[in-house]
């Protein structure tokens, strides 16, 4: 790649190609494009580089790439995505709205899954994470309506708001999560969710609306040291009985609203 190459993006804006990067909008909205072979010298895939390539099903990322920018592969047709370990940074929305995506191998040398990374990938079923990933940022898997089993929970220590909203998760073990400070709405509208395990030593506030609308949720433990149950946490859930420990000093509004199965 030469740095004196210029081109226009879909909006007619002039772009300059920088050495060793796949430039912004370079292939965006080429709706008949099915395959890309990136050069092994590429170190960066810039914003919206392949966005809207609705027929693009193959685009292997070479081991030379260290950065994937926002919306880089939005709306592509991948069934499987492998993000290599060489990637050290990624921005939001990178693989959002990919309607055929079923399997993700997320292997970067990063500690987090960026916000909205796999937002609204309705066929996503399987996710493999590198051992370095400990945080799932906001909306990362929101509306992944086929995601039933997210096994990497055991390595996650922080979950942000709406991270798994409206997924198909059936059980969630949050025993190793230590930071719920921004976890409002994290599992809202997970209508297949049946059981939740919270950390036994959790004392901070149970985040607002965290399980709102989980209509099949019938098993959950409120840790003995819990002080506050946030607003709307269990609204519309399906359990019949719940033990609220004596340490709880505050219960927010709407916390158990529309719990039609609750008897005790």
């Amino acid at each position: 790649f030469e740095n004196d190459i210029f081109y226009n993006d879909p909006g007619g804006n002039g772009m300059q190609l920088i050495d060793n990067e796949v430039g912004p909008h370079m292939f965006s909205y080429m709706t008949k494009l099915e395959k890309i072979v990136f050069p092994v010298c590429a170190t960066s895939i810039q914003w919206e580089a392949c966005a809207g390539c609705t027929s693009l099903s193959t685009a292997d990322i070479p081991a030379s790439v260290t950065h994937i920018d926002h919306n880089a592969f939005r709306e592509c047709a991948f069934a499987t995505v492998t993000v290599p370990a060489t990637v050290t940074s990624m921005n939001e929305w990178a693989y959002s709205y990919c309607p055929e995506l079923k399997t993700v191998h997320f292997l970067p040398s990063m500690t987090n899954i960026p916000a909205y990374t796999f937002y609204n990938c309705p066929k996503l079923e399987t996710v493999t994470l590198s051992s370095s990933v400990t945080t799932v940022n906001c909306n990362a898997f929101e509306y992944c309506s086929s995601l039933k089993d997210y096994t990497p929970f055991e390595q996650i220590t922080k979950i942000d708001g709406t991270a798994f909203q409206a997924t198909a998760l059936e059980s969630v073990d949050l025993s190793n999560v230590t930071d719920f400070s921004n976890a409002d709405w994290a599992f809202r509208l997970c209508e297949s969710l049946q059981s939740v395990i919270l950390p036994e030593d959790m004392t901070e506030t149970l985040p607002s609306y965290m399980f709102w609308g989980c209509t099949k949720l019938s098993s959950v433990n409120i840790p003995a040291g819990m002080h506050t149950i946030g607003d709307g946490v269990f609204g519309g859930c399906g359990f019949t009985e719940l033990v609220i420990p004596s340490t709880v000093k505050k219960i927010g509004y709407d916390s158990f609203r529309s719990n039609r199965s609750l008897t005790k």
Side-chain angles (χ1 to χ4, degrees):
F1 289 157
E2 300 291 340
N3 63 8
D4 59 350
I5 294 177
F6 292 85
Y7 61 98
N8 291 331
D9 72 5
N13 301 303
M15 297 285 159
Q16 180 180 4
L17 186 61
I18 306 302
D19 283 353
N20 300 324
E21 75 173 25
V22 180
H25 286 293
M26 181 169 283
F27 302 102
S28 61
Y29 302 102
M30 295 183 179
T31 57
K32 295 184 179 180
L33 183 63
E34 298 180 358
K35 180 178 180 178
I36 295 178
V37 179
F38 292 116
V40 294
C41 63
T43 59
S44 175
I45 299 175
Q46 286 297 304
W47 49 279
E48 300 194 16
C50 302
C53 294
T54 53
S55 298
L56 183 62
S57 59
T58 303
D60 293 336
I61 299 174
S64 55
V65 171
T66 60
H67 175 70
I68 298 175
D69 212 344
H70 65 82
N71 290 288
F73 296 103
R74 191 190 71 234
E75 299 176 87
C76 290
F78 309 120
T80 300
V81 161
T82 299
V83 183
T86 54
V87 174
T88 57
S89 64
M90 178 184 290
N91 289 343
E92 301 175 355
W93 303 92
Y95 291 93
S96 59
Y97 295 102
C98 291
E100 302 300 322
L101 185 59
K102 293 184 178 180
T103 304
V104 168
H105 303 290
F106 192 83
L107 309 175
S109 302
M110 294 165 51
T111 60
N112 68 91
I113 300 177
Y116 296 94
T117 299
F118 302 105
Y119 178 87
N120 202 1
C121 294
K123 293 185 179 180
L124 182 59
E125 298 176 350
T126 304
V127 179
T128 302
L129 290 186
S130 63
S131 58
S132 63
V133 175
T134 58
T135 298
V136 182
N137 283 328
C138 66
N139 309 84
F141 294 100
E142 185 178 6
Y143 298 121
C144 292
S145 53
S146 296
L147 187 61
K148 294 182 179 181
D149 182 19
Y150 184 77
T151 52
F153 270 124
E154 61 190 26
Q155 69 187 66
I156 300 303
T157 59
K158 182 181 180 181
I159 294 175
D160 277 351
T162 60
F164 294 94
Q165 178 170 270
T167 58
L169 292 171
E170 295 179 349
S171 63
V172 173
D173 186 345
L174 304 176
S175 299
N176 294 321
V177 177
T178 57
D179 188 345
F180 290 92
S181 59
N182 191 34
D184 293 355
W185 310 80
F187 299 95
R188 179 178 176 267
L189 297 177
C190 291
E191 296 180 353
S192 298
L193 188 61
Q194 300 174 35
S195 65
V196 171
I197 300 175
L198 295 169
E200 290 296 337
D201 58 353
M202 184 179 182
T203 58
E204 58 190 279
T205 301
L206 198 56
S208 296
Y209 299 95
M210 191 172 187
F211 302 106
W212 175 275
C214 296
T215 54
K216 293 184 179 179
L217 182 58
S218 58
S219 176
V220 62
N221 64 307
I222 298 180
M226 181 67 63
H227 295 156
T228 302
I229 297 175
D231 300 333
V233 176
F234 297 111
C237 290
F239 42 74
T240 59
E241 182 175 333
L242 187 68
V243 177
I244 301 176
S246 59
T247 55
V248 172
K249 304 300 181 184
K250 179 182 178 181
I251 298 176
Y253 62 82
D254 285 344
S255 289
F256 303 97
R257 181 176 179 174
S258 299
N259 279 214
R260 293 181 173 85
S261 300
L262 187 60
T263 59
K264 184 178 180 181

